[in-house]
Amino acid sequence: MRVLILGGTTEARQLAERLAMRADLAVTLSLAGRTAAPALPPVPVRIGGFGGAQGLADYLLDEKIDVLIDATHPYAATISMNAAVAAPLARVALLALRRPGWAPIAGDRWVEVGDVAGAVRALGNVPRRAFLALGRKEIEPFADAPQHSYLVRSVEPVTPPLMVPHAVYITARGPFAEADERTMLEEHRIDIIVAKNSGGPATYGKIAAARALSLPVILLRRPLPPPYPPPQAGEGIRRIPPPLAGEGRVGAAVETVDDAVAWLDHVSAPPTARGV
Ligand code: NAP
């Protein structure tokens, strides 16, 4: 069975690593090409956009893909929507692997906003010392609020730099430990954080550190994902109706690499084993 994983996340890489040795699967990982030296699993990797939903559908047909797994970042809404459109067009089965977002707990001081412009507004007029944990493409609107001092951390360098008088840049790739995040926030005398609700443990350190230091966090709300049916409460992953390769039925959304592997085991099993 031929599997295309739309990646750019730790989970996509982990899934590709888990599937790499399977003789029954030919797995390709697709990356947007946002980072210069991404960590790569031992499977064929293709890099760059497909040219919209139709381009992705054409690729799925040309490469005779049976199963498409959307394991992209929760904020990468365009490619997820393209996958939801392209899979039925190309009649391939589709699974979304989406890590759950973080939920606030006692001590968290979160302000949720709809987009980056909302985050800029939420910083207010009074000068703040803000830590921006955002993608480099999301930084630009903060130039409209030059009264604040910024500490900007991104995987790739921010070029051109923000047109503001006070900005410090760090390039780093997670995971980030809570203790290190706390030290960084204290060293830079940060009084507010702006971040995405990425979910997962790798970037949670700053959220935990903010709680420990009683700092407010402006969180960008997640974009709405395409409406795949989630697994029914109380049902195991194996009871999800199998979106069989060739039928082009949209599949399901799962939250863990283990569940994605279980789903693949199910759809790749012979029909009799699937109870079909
Ligand atoms: P996007 O807005 O969903 O995607 C924009 C375009 O990039 C897509 O239409 C597609 O181009 C191409 N693309 C995206 N993911 C791809 C993949 N896995 N393989 C091939 N092409 C892909 O996503 P984004 O612009 O990358 O990022 C949006 C948000 O997600 C930002 O907040 C960013 O920080 C976050 N994020 C993204 C990634 C990532 O790897 N993409 C990783 C971490 C965080 P075509 O239409 O031409 O096919």
Side-chain angles (χ1 to χ4, degrees), residues 6-8 30-32 34 46 48-52 72-73 75-79 82 135 137-138 196:
L6 300 173
S30 173
L31 298 176
R34 303 278 180 256
R46 66 159 303 284
F50 298 93
T72 57
H73 193 268
Y75 286 76
T78 308
I79 188 71
N82 288 352
K137 289 180 162 185
E138 293 150 334
K196 289 187 289 229

Side-chain angles (χ1 to χ4, degrees), residues 98-264:
R98 299 189 188 117
R99 70 175 90 126
W102 303 311
I105 62 172
D108 281 327
R109 297 175 57 201
W110 290 7
V111 177
E112 293 194 76
V113 294
D115 54 20
V116 178
V120 175
R121 283 195 298 277
L123 282 178
N125 295 326
V126 177
R128 312 291 302 258
R129 297 185 62 82
F131 170 45
L132 307 185
L134 298 174
R136 65 181 156 145
K137 289 180 162 185
E138 293 150 334
I139 301 298
E140 206 181 303
F142 291 91
D144 293 341
Q147 69 274 28
H148 306 301
S149 299
Y150 296 105
L151 172 65
V152 182
R153 183 174 68 198
S154 53
V155 176
E156 297 290 318
V158 176
T159 50
L162 271 183
M163 296 292 284
V164 297
H166 304 292
V168 172
Y169 300 91
I170 301 174
T171 50
R173 190 197 298 262
F176 302 106
E178 178 185 341
D180 296 337
E181 297 289 69
R182 184 172 173 157
T183 302
M184 181 193 68
L185 294 172
E186 288 178 321
E187 277 178 2
H188 290 270
R189 294 180 292 119
I190 296 300
D191 58 33
I192 193 162
I193 295 170
V194 184
K196 289 187 289 229
N197 189 344
S198 295
T203 57
Y204 189 71
K206 61 179 175 284
I207 303 292
R211 185 187 312 125
L213 296 170
S214 199
L215 297 181
V217 180
I218 299 172
L219 267 190
L220 267 55
R221 255 181 235 110
R222 287 181 166 206
L224 279 180
Y228 303 175
Q232 295 301 301
E235 286 191 342
I237 183 72
R238 287 167 191 283
R239 300 222 20 227
I240 293 172
L244 298 176
E247 287 183 11
R249 237 180 326 141
V250 164
V254 295
E255 295 186 342
T256 66
V257 171
D258 281 347
D259 280 353
V261 172
W263 182 90
L264 262 176

